[in-house]
Amino acid sequence: MNINVDRSSVAAGDDAYPHAKTVDLPESSTIAEAVAYLRGRKYLAQIAGGKATWVLEVNGSPAAVIAQQRAEPKFITDPTDRLGSFGTDVSLVFKYRAQIDPDDLYDTLSQ
């Protein structure tokens, strides 16, 4: 299954190359597995200081908060949801939220 992936830029120099891409993942992959796959391939930019915060949106809805300083994301949606359950056109967008506290962001989004 082709998944559309994109992310925000973290700085002007980060705009040198487009971030939008398509990745092929099994329809049975979970949201957690997709995030692990992309993090393992260094898709999210690392920033100096090590405290970047990202919101993952799946088809426009917040699904997780990811923090550079944390090994695991905090999921707003069920991390075991299968990519195929979101339809045939799945979009994962990682929005950079600078160095804001990931726990505060999670609390705000999960209300």
Side-chain angles (χ1 to χ4, degrees):
M1 161 175 226
N2 287 326
I3 308 298
N4 299 310
V5 180
D6 202 357
R7 72 168 175 83
S8 305
S9 295
V10 298
D14 189 36
D15 288 334
Y17 301 100
H19 306 298
K21 62 190 299 182
T22 301
V23 295
D24 186 24
L25 295 172
E27 189 174 321
S28 62
S29 296
T30 65
I31 295 293
E33 290 168 339
V35 170
Y37 172 86
L38 292 164
R39 287 184 86 186
R41 281 150 187 81
K42 309 283 188 228
Y43 180 70
L44 297 178
Q46 303 287 300
I47 65 158
K51 292 189 176 184
T53 300
W54 303 84
V55 173
L56 167 62
E57 291 184 354
V58 178
N59 292 351
S61 296
V65 173
I66 301 162
Q68 180 178 338
Q69 67 270 30
R70 304 231 171 103
E72 297 296 325
K74 287 183 80 172
F75 287 91
I76 298 162
T77 60
D78 184 345
T80 64
D81 284 347
R82 306 278 178 203
L83 293 175
S85 70
F86 293 95
T88 56
D89 189 24
V90 179
S91 172
L92 305 180
V93 176
F94 297 86
K95 294 187 174 181
Y96 178 57
R97 294 296 180 243
Q99 294 81 42
I100 68 170
D101 184 289
D103 293 324
D104 288 346
L105 180 59
Y106 176 83
D107 291 343
T108 299
L109 293 172
S110 61
Q111 293 180 10

